[in-house]
Amino acid sequence: MKRTRRRRATDPNLAVGYVRVSKDEGQVSPDVQRGLLERWAAERGKRLIAVHQDLGVSGATRLDRRPGLVAALADLQVHGAGVLVAIHRDRFARDRHVAAELEFIVTEQRARLVALDGTGENDSPEDVFQRALFDALAQYKRLWTKVRTRQALAHRRAEGRVTGPCAPYGFAAQGKHLVPAESERAAAARAAELAETGASLRAIGRQLSAENFIPRGRAWHTETVRRLLRLSEDRTVTP
């Protein structure tokens, strides 16, 4: 007779906290998030056994590429915790597919995803719908933020203004404005000539060094050469 494997029971009073901050979102700091989680646990009579964090990580990043979240899921299993908690549901994910995968993994461990804002904590049809709606809305906001950021950067470039810590190839920062960098433009023109002959990115980089063109970094790496070629019309070259 085949034995049925019993899943380990979880303790709903044990919780694991999760904190996430990305580079491009205006949001609550890690310390404040951690403090809010600790206060929630104290008010609810929960034992917060650990708080894990991912800093500079997008909400669309795959679960296996978030060491903090991986550690949090491991703690759920090791300690039999019944709750994985964050201050908002979008701290878990800002992509509906990633959110659905996380929900499945946590449910399989007989635990629950909980957000301090109370987003769809129960299993009623209304709560399930609310979670799906919130995940889709979080993804929409993330994608729309990317669109607005690209539009703002394009506008600044069109005005000849600096758009980041490094000026684009072919330009140099002069205060808040961009001015042509003739040395890089000459290197770009030479790189384009070499690309026309079928030279690879590495070969172009070696030739630029041989002809004493000075890169921004230590050497003409393949990605540096690729960016340089964008100053001219698009070309297909081999790495």
Side-chain angles (χ1 to χ4, degrees):
M1 182 177 178
K2 185 177 180 180
R3 298 178 61 182
T4 303
R5 184 178 178 181
R6 298 180 61 184
R7 290 190 294 179
R8 178 180 178 180
T10 57
D11 186 343
N13 291 316
L14 294 182
V16 177
Y18 180 65
V19 169
R20 184 184 65 80
V21 177
S22 72
K23 296 178 181 179
D24 57 352
E25 299 170 356
Q27 58 210 317
V28 182
S29 72
D31 289 341
V32 172
Q33 290 187 46
R34 185 181 292 267
L36 290 171
L37 294 177
E38 291 172 349
R39 187 171 71 181
W40 168 86
E43 292 175 349
R44 296 290 187 92
K46 308 286 186 183
R47 179 185 167 201
L48 192 63
I49 59 177
V51 177
H52 298 279
Q53 63 184 25
D54 286 312
L55 305 182
V57 175
S58 167
T61 302
R62 284 171 26 186
L63 303 181
D64 59 353
R65 294 182 178 177
R66 299 198 213 172
L69 188 52
V70 169
L73 291 172
D75 268 351
L76 280 182
Q77 189 169 26
V78 170
H79 298 284
V83 176
L84 179 59
V85 60
I87 64 166
H88 299 299
R89 188 171 172 87
D90 66 3
R91 294 305 85 201
F92 293 125
R94 298 188 74 192
D95 178 280
R96 59 192 179 90
H97 299 295
V98 175
E101 182 182 6
L102 179 61
E103 185 96 47
F104 175 80
I105 292 173
V106 171
T107 301
E108 281 292 290
Q109 295 188 26
R110 305 189 73 175
R112 291 190 304 129
L113 286 178
V114 171
L116 270 57
D117 56 12
T119 304
E121 288 190 12
N122 299 312
D123 295 324
S124 68
E126 293 80 9
D127 284 319
V128 172
F129 175 73
Q130 184 182 18
R131 290 197 295 270
L133 186 63
F134 190 92
D135 293 340
L137 181 60
Q139 179 173 338
Y140 169 78
K141 289 181 177 179
R142 177 180 60 82
L143 294 174
W144 182 236
T145 298
K146 290 177 65 176
V147 170
R148 287 187 296 179
T149 300
R150 286 197 298 266
Q151 291 173 339
L153 291 175
H155 180 68
R156 289 174 65 87
R157 292 191 190 101
E159 292 183 333
R161 299 165 64 190
V162 176
T163 58
C166 297
Y169 274 89
F171 294 90
Q174 191 174 80
K176 294 184 178 181
H177 295 274
L178 298 174
V179 296
E182 298 303 332
S183 61
E184 288 187 348
R185 294 185 173 221
R190 179 58 177 143
E193 291 176 355
L194 295 168
E196 288 285 0
T197 68
S200 69
L201 294 176
R202 291 189 179 90
I204 293 172
R206 288 194 296 267
Q207 188 60 34
L208 290 176
S209 295
E211 295 180 14
N212 295 320
F213 286 101
I214 301 175
R216 290 192 183 184
R218 295 182 178 180
W220 288 108
H221 299 292
T222 54
E223 183 57 32
T224 307
V225 174
R226 183 179 286 111
R227 291 176 182 173
L228 195 66
L229 287 169
R230 289 175 188 156
L231 292 176
S232 306
E233 62 182 0
D234 291 337
R235 287 174 171 80
T236 302
V237 291
T238 57

